Amino acid sequence: MKRTPSSGEGSGQSAEVKRMKEDGASGTASADREHAMLVKVMQISQPPAEKLSLATVGQFLEDETAKIARQHGPRGLQEGILFLARGWRRSEEGGVVPSTWAGIAPLQEAILTTSLAQLLAATADEKVAALTGLMENPVPVRLMNELLTAAAEDDAVPAKLLTALAGQLRGRTLGDQRSGPMSQLIRVLRSNKKYPNALVTSPLKEEIWRPNFESKFAWRNRKREVVSQQREGFSLQENTLLGWAMTPTPLDSGLSPPSKAHITEAGSTEWADLRRATRQRIDGLQRGVQAKLTGSQQQAAELVDLLLRAGDEPRMAVLEWIGAVMTGAEPRGRQGHVAPEGFNFWPQYGNHVIDVMGHAETSPFERSLKNLLMMQALQARIHGFPTSGCALNTFTLLLHLCKPIKPDQASSISVYFPSRPDLKDMLGNYLKEARFGEKEQVEAAMEVAKTDVGFTAAPADKALFKSEVFWLASRGMGSLLMPVAKEAFHAWQGIASAFYDKDPSISETAWREFLLAEASLKESSFLERLGHFVDLTFRFLQHAASNGQQTLPPPTPGPTWHAMPSSVLENVLELCDVYRERGERKKASGIPTGLFTHIDPDPVLTTLCIVMASDDHVKDPSLRGRAVKLLHRLCFAFQSWRDKLNQPPLDKQLIPCLVNVFIGVEKAIMSYYDLSYRYKYELRVPVMDLFDLALQHESHRQVLHQFTRGEGNDRFLKLLTQLINDSNSQTEEAIRTVKEYHEKKNETATSSASGRGSHDEQVLADDQTGDGDSAEDIYRRSRMNYKEHAKKYFGLATRTWKQLWLLCKLCAQVVVDGRTILEQLLHSSLDAQLHYLVGPEMKSIKASPQEYDELGFNPKDFVRQIAEMYLFLSRANRNEVVRIVGKDERYYSPTTFSKALNFVRKYGLLIGNDLEEFAAFCKELADKVAEQRAAFDEADIPENYLCEMMADIMSDPVQFPQSKKIVDRSVAERQIMGTDRDPYANTPVRVEDLIPLTELKEEIHRFAKEKGIVLEGGNMFG
């Protein structure tokens, strides 16, 4: 229907009127809706007489909270703010009000304003009580943070609030971690920096951060001088906030009295009867412990991170606290020596806890491992060092702090930082520790340190933080981690095994302690962080040793190495050895396991080779020997590490490194009583294994060829000298022991038992080191019976002979050209051993094949190797070999060589051309020796032509500068190769110091030509 103009105009007027009515109604509806929303959000049971609006809600909230405060008395402030907090929380819940409601933000601001006004009007004690209660309720984060920040403006609140929260953490355990109070404390510290700063300043500093400590025990010597005092470590563990944070641990069961033993992990029923537990059950138990432990450690790390970010003062306070704990732990770290039976924690029992516990005269109390664990805790209290669990948690914290340091930042760590005299609280006795440099070198390095930021910057300078945490972790490796690890992997495991049948209760306790410690020490995140730190340490050592230059061959060490504490290298080598996979040697899998999955092999192998190769870097032969043992173990465990030996730079440098370290460990002594030099021999076995491994590759054989004919000739000949001496000493020791064994067998049963007893007693006395209760029986297990001792030395001799045989095969020409070494090899080794093996001396050790097998002695192999070595050498220079063997009047005889030839034929030790060549060599030798001896017999040799040491005619007479004794040059050089000393004056001497006697030499050569006597090296007159 078509609308008329009049009707359209009327319609427009009515619409306008309708809109006006709707606007009025809308305003009323909006106010009603706002009122309803506020009532619903604040959960007001009796709505106010007047409608609530966003404009008036603030006043309403003030009135309401005042009313609540009056109703609840002392808890009024807390209940009033909780009322407001519930409103805040409901305003954010989607089911209460629409999330699009514009009133949410204004309402929250009104709530915040009211809460702050109520809080600020209260006293300090009321604030603390209210805040403590509020944190136990679901208060919105922003509201709680604002309240904490506002409360911090009251100078009295931070100390009182932190005291109230921290006090609840005392007595934390792994089963009762007090997670609530810990989370509340972290929440407070995160809210405002005033709280962390209050924690490390008075009065909290003296109450819960680092209370004043007074030693209650002192130890004096006979002169009544104080030699040691109770330390602060255990006090920090028991009486400080960080100590309570570090306390939860599956270890330290001895700290709990017997009445509370059931609440510890070790005392719980689920950890009972473990000796027969399946691996699946044990893995499940360990995973449960690891989950609880990592949770506690993460909380502690979060707490410390907050303190470190709060400013210079809290950061330095944390580092000094950790340093003080380590200073307290230092005595325990110094006790951490590995003994054959395992590391013993308890100093009064020496290093033989297994023997002590199993000894019939030990009191029943001391034969109980549970009692000894309680004594361990008592020792910690008396001596003042942190217990195993706290120490391990503290070290875990240090690994957490080191994690952000990237591997390529190792070179930025200051090597001079531990030499700072102004950081004793942090560094402890680092200043007193030995450095790699000599005194003059260290003094020169300290002059260089004055230009290094790590030495001169203010302690609170943030630029030092990386160096600070690295050096603390390095120090903690020796004093915090290693005593715990060695206690677990040596003591607990050893006790569990030794008493498995003897005393099941002791074995059960030890096995449980081991599994709990293993759960802590081999937790995956711990291993990852530890691997990162070990990798960082090796990179740092590599950079310091090379001065940032090419690492191999090792450059001359500079001040960065001279200033380095030697304990850094010692600790990381020991740690890697402790964490290596133990048990039976398995074929290299090529896949590193455990700790070594997180370590780059390149810096490790390079650093170890620097240590092995250079006595300028490391003068301690034992430490160099430990480096090669670790290299050996890692390369034989992991094929991927082994392959690195055939890649640059080790493909060109490994052989010189092995030669140098073999020579270097000559002076390695475990103790004054190491009469049979077994420690030195055992350090050399890994070197020989690595030689065998390397020389399977042509590249290494070429390096050996160049090295022995170039600058390394003298060192190679010295190595051969030491190999010869070792092989002779080892064989003689083994044969001597077998002779004694046969003598004892021939005695009566009574005298035999008596004889063995006296032998064992004497050996035990000889092989002990230390004084009194701390004495250490080094070789007790080997020398408790003759067979085992002989087997050990036959094994060493076999290994040494194999190495000597290999080098003679590959370097025969070098051996022959070094005439001095050739004579030593032929006379004192090949001729002598052939004399013992096929000569009359063999009767004294003759036994059945079965007994030879038990002893690990194979005469056939020995004879075969000796025969082949004669062939290797004679092919290089037959005439010289024949001449020198012919000079040997002590061991050479045609009869001995004839027996040797028959022995070789009988057992097929040589076949074909080799057998014919050996037979021709024996015949030629007999003929030439007969001629030579006939010439000597006819000649009346003047006395001054004879060597004063060997009583043989000289070919090149020289004089020792100190003793003035005249000997043949070959004899003098052989002596110097072995000891570097004048044998008559016992003074140092070098080959260059020998005085040649030219005129005497000419006289001797004229005399020899006239009489037809063959001289070494030929006659100068043709």
Side-chain angles (χ1 to χ4, degrees):
M1 178 175 159
K2 187 176 180 180
R3 289 194 292 176
T4 63
S6 59
S7 64
E9 186 178 337
S11 176
Q13 291 175 350
S14 63
E16 182 66 24
V17 171
K18 184 177 180 180
R19 278 198 302 272
M20 292 176 67
K21 291 180 179 180
E22 287 177 352
D23 287 344
S26 174
T28 303
S30 178
D32 290 342
R33 181 171 179 269
E34 191 172 276
H35 172 78
M37 289 283 192
L38 292 172
V39 170
K40 188 176 183 181
V41 168
M42 299 307 299
Q43 290 184 317
I44 302 172
S45 57
Q46 295 182 350
E50 297 181 2
K51 289 184 179 181
L52 292 177
S53 68
L54 292 173
T56 61
V57 72
Q59 184 61 48
F60 169 77
L61 293 177
E62 289 182 15
D63 296 340
E64 192 70 16
T65 52
K67 178 182 174 182
I68 294 172
R70 289 192 298 271
Q71 291 175 350
H72 291 84
R75 297 181 66 249
L77 177 61
Q78 174 185 332
E79 292 298 328
I81 297 178
L82 277 177
F83 163 72
L84 299 172
R86 285 193 291 270
W88 183 307
R89 199 156 44 85
R90 286 175 61 79
S91 72
E92 296 175 337
E93 294 177 0
V96 178
V97 295
S99 60
T100 58
W101 182 43
I104 293 177
L107 174 61
Q108 291 179 349
E109 286 301 318
I111 291 173
L112 177 59
T113 301
T114 305
S115 300
L116 292 176
Q118 295 293 322
L119 183 71
L120 293 175
T123 64
D125 290 336
E126 290 172 340
K127 291 173 183 174
V128 171
L131 292 171
T132 304
L134 289 171
M135 282 188 288
E136 294 177 355
N137 291 276
V139 178
V141 174
R142 183 189 167 200
L143 176 59
M144 193 71 239
N145 287 342
E146 292 288 351
L147 291 171
L148 289 170
T149 300
E153 298 302 320
D154 186 340
D155 293 339
V157 169
K160 291 184 177 183
L161 180 58
L162 291 172
T163 300
L165 294 174
Q168 301 177 57
L169 300 179
R170 185 188 290 269
R172 291 178 79 216
T173 64
L174 198 62
D176 180 16
Q177 297 186 23
R178 319 279 171 88
S179 297
M182 190 69 169
S183 298
Q184 293 169 14
L185 178 64
I186 291 172
R187 189 174 188 177
V188 170
L189 294 173
R190 184 183 287 115
S191 66
N192 191 284
K193 290 186 178 181
K194 288 188 176 182
Y195 290 103
N197 281 277
L199 192 59
V200 299
T201 55
S202 295
L204 292 187
K205 180 179 180 181
E206 293 77 16
E207 293 175 2
I208 61 173
W209 182 257
R210 193 173 173 186
N212 293 327
F213 174 76
E214 292 183 7
S215 175
K216 295 182 175 64
F217 296 93
W219 288 264
R220 301 176 184 271
N221 59 18
R222 293 181 180 179
K223 297 180 180 180
R224 307 300 298 164
E225 298 169 336
V226 175
V227 294
S228 181
Q229 288 184 315
Q230 183 186 37
R231 303 209 174 197
E232 191 182 6
F234 191 80
S235 174
L236 292 172
Q237 173 181 334
E238 290 278 286
N239 303 313
T240 67
L241 173 61
L242 278 187
W244 304 330
M246 302 297 167
T247 299
T249 173
L251 312 179
D252 303 342
S253 60
L255 283 175
S256 300
S259 61
K260 296 183 178 180
H262 62 283
I263 66 176
T264 65
E265 295 293 321
S268 63
T269 55
E270 63 180 358
W271 279 90
D273 196 23
L274 292 173
R275 295 198 314 152
R276 299 178 182 178
T278 63
R279 188 70 245 182
Q280 184 179 6
R281 179 192 165 197
I282 290 173
D283 288 344
L285 289 172
Q286 288 184 323
R287 283 194 296 270
V289 166
Q290 288 170 345
K292 291 187 284 187
L293 181 61
T294 53
S296 171
Q297 290 172 345
Q298 286 169 1
Q299 280 190 322
E302 187 176 1
L303 170 65
V304 169
D305 286 343
L306 289 170
L307 293 170
L308 293 175
R309 291 195 293 265
D312 294 343
E313 190 171 5
R315 184 175 68 254
M316 291 304 298
V318 168
L319 298 179
E320 288 173 359
W321 187 92
I322 295 173
V325 169
M326 282 191 284
T327 300
E330 282 175 351
R332 187 180 178 192
R334 288 197 293 269
Q335 294 173 20
H337 301 295
V338 180
E341 294 77 20
F343 165 66
N344 175 26
F345 175 91
W346 307 280
Q348 69 269 33
Y349 294 124
N351 291 301
H352 297 300
V353 62
I354 293 177
D355 288 346
V356 170
M357 293 176 64
H359 200 284
E361 296 182 5
T362 302
S363 67
F365 178 86
E366 294 173 331
R367 285 204 296 268
S368 167
L369 184 57
K370 291 183 179 179
N371 291 340
L372 291 182
L373 287 171
M374 288 192 292
M375 290 179 65
Q376 177 186 32
L378 182 62
Q379 287 284 336
R381 293 180 185 275
I382 294 174
H383 289 279
F385 47 76
T387 55
S388 296
C390 180
L392 188 57
N393 284 339
T394 304
F395 184 73
T396 304
L397 173 64
L398 285 168
L399 294 181
H400 165 76
L401 298 181
C402 288
K403 190 175 181 181
I405 305 176
K406 297 178 181 178
D408 58 3
Q409 295 176 324
S411 58
S412 66
I413 296 170
S414 172
V415 73
Y416 302 108
F417 180 80
S419 300
R420 294 184 62 139
D422 59 335
L423 294 175
K424 188 174 181 181
D425 282 349
M426 189 187 304
L427 297 173
N429 290 323
Y430 243 150
L431 277 171
K432 300 178 182 178
E433 288 194 8
R435 265 51 178 177
F436 281 120
E438 300 290 351
K439 182 180 178 181
E440 297 78 9
Q441 293 172 327
V442 174
E443 290 174 353
M446 290 302 96
E447 291 299 317
V448 177
K450 294 177 182 179
T451 63
D452 183 78
V453 174
F455 190 79
T456 58
D461 192 331
K462 291 182 180 179
L464 291 182
F465 185 70
K466 283 189 297 187
S467 295
E468 289 168 341
V469 295
F470 173 83
W471 283 107
L472 282 172
S474 180
R475 184 179 169 213
M477 191 187 299
S479 60
L480 299 178
L481 173 63
M482 291 312 300
V484 180
K486 288 187 288 188
E487 184 179 71
F489 297 136
H490 298 319
W492 302 144
Q493 231 177 346
I495 294 171
S497 176
F499 289 92
Y500 188 84
D501 295 319
K502 296 180 185 177
D503 193 324
S505 65
I506 291 178
S507 178
E508 173 79 14
T509 302
W511 184 236
R512 179 168 53 249
E513 291 295 327
F514 166 72
L515 292 176
L516 288 168
E518 184 185 45
S520 305
L521 291 164
K522 292 190 174 182
E523 191 273 326
S524 58
S525 61
F526 177 82
L527 285 180
E528 180 183 359
R529 294 173 187 168
L530 182 59
H532 169 73
F533 179 70
V534 170
D535 183 78
L536 189 68
T537 301
F538 275 110
R539 291 176 186 274
F540 172 70
L541 287 168
Q542 177 182 324
H543 177 79
S546 62
N547 288 318
Q549 305 172 18
Q550 180 180 344
T551 53
L552 290 173
T556 302
T560 54
W561 185 257
H562 295 151
M564 179 79 67
S566 59
S567 61
V568 180
L569 177 62
E570 293 167 1
N571 289 337
V572 76
L573 292 182
E574 191 169 30
L575 181 141
C576 290
D577 185 58
V578 167
Y579 268 90
R580 66 184 172 86
E581 294 297 328
R582 297 177 180 273
E584 296 181 4
R585 180 190 288 183
K586 299 178 181 178
K587 187 175 181 181
S589 63
I591 304 175
T593 56
L595 173 69
F596 299 98
T597 60
H598 308 289
I599 299 176
D600 183 354
D602 288 329
V604 177
L605 297 178
T606 303
T607 304
L608 293 178
C609 283
I610 292 174
V611 173
M612 291 159 48
S614 174
D615 57 1
D616 290 332
H617 283 83
V618 179
K619 293 179 174 58
D620 181 1
S622 297
L623 187 55
R624 296 173 70 189
R626 286 167 56 190
V628 75
K629 285 176 72 174
L630 179 60
L631 179 72
H632 171 269
R633 286 166 175 165
L634 295 177
C635 290
F636 277 85
F638 311 129
Q639 182 66 48
S640 57
W641 287 58
R642 182 189 296 193
D643 292 341
K644 295 286 184 180
L645 301 181
N646 303 317
Q647 300 171 10
L650 297 183
D651 61 336
K652 302 298 182 185
Q653 300 298 328
L654 180 62
I655 293 298
C657 290
L658 294 175
V659 172
N660 289 338
V661 74
F662 190 96
I663 297 170
V665 300
E666 171 67 20
K667 298 178 182 178
I669 298 176
M670 189 176 199
S671 79
Y672 176 79
Y673 298 98
D674 183 9
L675 303 178
S676 300
Y677 305 107
R678 192 173 121 186
Y679 180 62
K680 175 183 71 175
Y681 298 150
E682 291 184 344
L683 290 179
R684 283 178 168 166
V685 169
V687 184
M688 294 186 285
D689 285 345
L690 288 167
F691 259 122
D692 279 354
L693 183 65
L695 294 176
Q696 295 173 18
H697 298 269
E698 179 61 28
S699 60
H700 289 291
R701 290 197 291 268
Q702 291 177 1
V703 171
L704 178 65
H705 180 83
Q706 296 169 2
F707 181 77
T708 56
R709 287 162 176 77
E711 62 179 12
N713 180 262
D714 290 343
R715 282 174 286 165
F716 178 73
L717 295 180
K718 195 163 190 174
L719 177 145
L720 287 176
T721 299
Q722 294 172 0
L723 271 175
I724 293 167
N725 293 338
D726 287 358
S727 64
N728 294 340
S729 300
Q730 292 160 3
T731 307
E732 289 169 8
E733 175 73 10
I735 291 175
R736 179 192 64 78
T737 307
V738 173
K739 286 181 179 179
E740 291 182 12
Y741 172 67
H742 286 165
E743 291 172 2
K744 298 299 178 184
K745 281 181 64 178
N746 295 331
E747 297 178 2
T748 61
T750 303
S751 61
S752 173
S754 173
R756 282 195 300 271
S758 62
H759 173 270
D760 291 344
E761 198 173 334
Q762 179 183 359
V763 168
L764 286 172
D766 287 348
D767 282 348
Q768 284 184 341
T769 60
D771 297 322
D773 293 335
S774 64
E776 177 185 359
D777 171 9
I778 308 171
Y779 306 127
R780 182 181 62 83
R781 286 192 172 181
S782 169
R783 300 192 64 174
M784 281 297 287
N785 62 68
Y786 291 97
K787 274 193 173 182
E788 190 172 346
H789 187 66
K791 182 178 181 179
K792 181 66 181 178
Y793 275 86
F794 273 130
L796 289 170
T798 300
R799 188 65 198 80
T800 306
W801 271 100
K802 180 181 177 182
Q803 185 65 34
L804 198 55
W805 175 90
L806 178 62
L807 294 179
C808 283
K809 179 180 180 181
L810 297 176
C811 307
Q813 191 61 55
V814 177
V815 176
V816 171
D817 291 343
R819 301 185 186 281
T820 301
I821 198 67
L822 178 63
E823 182 171 333
Q824 182 184 6
L825 174 62
L826 292 172
H827 286 189
S828 64
S829 201
L830 300 186
D831 295 352
Q833 297 308 326
L834 200 63
H835 171 76
Y836 282 112
L837 290 170
V838 299
E841 293 289 334
M842 188 62 182
K843 294 180 181 179
S844 61
I845 61 169
K846 192 171 183 179
S848 64
Q850 180 182 357
E851 186 172 323
Y852 281 157
D853 288 341
E854 291 175 359
L855 295 173
F857 177 44
N858 191 332
K860 296 175 185 176
D861 271 354
F862 272 102
V863 173
R864 177 188 57 78
Q865 287 177 335
I866 291 172
E868 288 181 340
M869 289 165 72
Y870 277 122
L871 294 180
F872 297 152
L873 298 172
S874 64
R875 289 165 187 166
N877 191 331
R878 193 181 191 93
N879 291 333
E880 187 65 11
V881 171
V882 169
R883 184 192 68 79
I884 292 178
V885 172
K887 288 174 55 180
D888 186 5
E889 297 185 1
R890 181 178 181 183
Y891 292 116
Y892 172 76
S893 76
T895 304
T896 300
F897 272 77
S898 177
K899 288 182 178 180
L901 179 59
N902 293 334
F903 191 87
V904 166
R905 281 200 181 104
K906 179 179 179 180
Y907 294 104
L909 305 181
L910 295 177
I911 58 175
N913 294 335
D914 288 345
L915 179 60
E916 294 177 4
E917 186 178 355
F918 185 64
F921 172 78
C922 292
K923 183 178 184 306
E924 181 180 350
L925 184 60
D927 295 341
K928 291 289 181 69
V929 168
E931 295 177 6
Q932 180 73 2
R933 290 184 177 177
F936 268 96
D937 292 340
E938 294 176 2
D940 184 12
I941 304 174
E943 187 174 347
N944 64 320
Y945 291 0
L946 299 178
C947 172
E948 294 191 42
M949 184 175 291
M950 303 302 294
D952 194 8
I953 189 169
M954 297 180 285
S955 63
D956 188 2
V958 294
Q959 187 179 59
F960 284 111
Q962 295 294 328
S963 64
K964 306 301 181 183
K965 296 292 185 179
I966 298 174
V967 298
D968 192 68
R969 179 177 293 275
S970 62
V971 175
E973 289 180 352
R974 185 169 64 196
Q975 180 66 32
I976 293 171
M977 281 184 188
T979 65
D980 295 321
R981 304 186 78 81
D982 181 333
Y984 298 99
N986 196 29
T987 55
V989 66
R990 300 173 302 171
V991 172
E992 304 87 66
D993 299 331
L994 297 173
I995 303 170
L997 303 177
T998 308
E999 293 182 1
L1000 179 59
K1001 178 179 179 180
E1002 291 180 359
E1003 291 181 21
I1004 294 173
H1005 279 247
R1006 287 194 179 96
F1007 175 82
K1009 183 178 181 181
E1010 179 184 341
K1011 301 297 183 179
I1013 299 173
V1014 179
L1015 296 176
E1016 180 179 343
N1019 197 298
M1020 63 188 296
F1021 298 111

